Amino acid sequence: MSQADKARHFKALHIPGNPLVLYNIWDAGSAKTVASAGAQALATGSWSVAAAQGYGDGEALPLDFALQIIARITASTDLPVSVDFEGGYATDATQLAANVTRVIATGAIGINFEDQIVGGQALHPIADQVQRIKAIRQAADQSGIPLFINARTDLFLKTQTNQAALVAEALTRQTAYAAAGADGFFIPGLGDEGLITEICQASSLPVNVMMLGSLTSLPTAARAGAARASFGPGPYRLAQEDLKARAAKLF
């Protein structure tokens, strides 16, 4: 498939109640391993990609280096590849568009794009995040690739208590992000099945959940109406724990 066809196929895999499972990868080797296990598509996790190179999360991994890694991943597989692009390595819309154009040039067909201020405590105001998503959509349109923009809200990662009180704001953000050109809505940090169900039922976009913390069952995610289930840094952490345990037996 062409890159554009891969992007369209990837979007079609998002089915509420039958979620696309993305067991997040961090390099070409892990991409080939997960692909060989039968994956329909691949997605990086920013924490894992950075950690695999000795960097912390939060755009500490230099952009040029990150793009080299993504290019190696896309060259190693015929599957669609989505990239966890954090905050896009820019606040300014013009620079953000330029960075996304570079991501598309690596062969990627989708990105996660978060609304937290990278390196800060707060989230971008909705109006600002809308302009940022519009810049990404325009850049993708100009590239001729229907990039899947998975708009992530960090509301639930920032607050683990009384998350029910955040649902209204999350849905307000979903509506705004959808109007700006997003294709999916990502709610990492939310594990309550009832709240996930509420968001899935109200969202005009397919909803992505993260299989970490209290959310560990894919059937639960499907029952709640999720269209995408990803694992974030979990696969990398488990791989490293296994590596350490095996090495520890030798020393």
Side-chain angles (χ1 to χ4, degrees):
M1 288 187 288
S2 69
Q3 186 178 1
D5 286 340
K6 287 181 182 180
R8 285 186 282 268
H9 175 63
F10 183 74
K11 184 172 185 176
L13 292 172
H14 291 71
I15 303 171
N18 183 22
L20 169 64
V21 177
L22 296 172
Y23 199 68
N24 296 83
I25 59 167
W26 53 91
D27 60 11
S30 58
K32 290 174 74 69
T33 298
V34 174
S36 69
Q40 295 179 289
L42 299 171
T44 66
S46 65
W47 192 98
S48 306
V49 173
Q53 301 299 327
Y55 289 90
D57 198 18
E59 299 180 3
L61 179 68
L63 177 58
D64 287 347
F65 194 4
L67 293 172
Q68 290 177 24
I69 295 169
I70 297 165
R72 282 301 311 140
I73 291 171
T74 61
S76 74
T77 179
D78 291 328
L79 293 177
V81 176
S82 182
V83 175
D84 186 350
F85 203 42
E86 302 188 80
Y89 283 78
T91 299
D92 173 73
T94 301
Q95 185 59 55
L96 177 60
N99 292 348
V100 169
T101 299
R102 295 181 69 191
V103 171
I104 293 171
T106 68
I109 51 74
I111 60 169
N112 283 349
F113 183 60
E114 61 197 43
D115 60 8
Q116 70 170 326
I117 297 172
V118 176
Q121 297 299 316
L123 273 59
H124 286 284
I126 293 176
D128 292 349
Q129 190 68 357
V130 161
Q131 293 306 312
R132 285 155 51 80
I133 293 172
K134 285 182 176 179
I136 293 172
R137 177 51 65 206
Q138 183 177 11
D141 289 346
Q142 290 176 349
S143 295
I145 301 298
L147 186 77
F148 191 102
I149 303 173
N150 199 33
R152 168 177 140 174
T153 184
D154 287 84
L155 282 168
F156 301 107
L157 283 175
K158 296 288 188 184
T159 304
Q160 293 295 302
T161 59
N162 193 23
Q163 291 186 320
L166 303 174
V167 169
E169 181 179 349
L171 290 173
T172 296
R173 285 179 176 269
Q174 185 278 145
T175 300
Y177 299 168
D183 299 283
F185 187 53
F186 188 17
I187 50 172
L190 184 60
D192 183 276
E193 182 180 353
L195 297 181
I196 294 172
T197 300
E198 183 178 349
I199 290 175
C200 289
Q201 290 178 344
S203 177
S204 64
L205 297 175
V207 175
N208 179 184
V209 296
M210 185 181 287
M211 307 302 297
L212 284 176
S214 61
L215 184 60
T216 59
S217 166
L218 284 171
T220 298
R223 187 168 58 243
R228 174 169 167 173
S230 51
F231 286 74
Y236 178 84
R237 287 172 173 165
L238 288 172
Q240 295 306 305
E241 289 172 6
D242 181 71
L243 178 63
K244 182 177 179 179
R246 292 177 183 274
K249 295 176 180 178
L250 306 175
F251 305 118

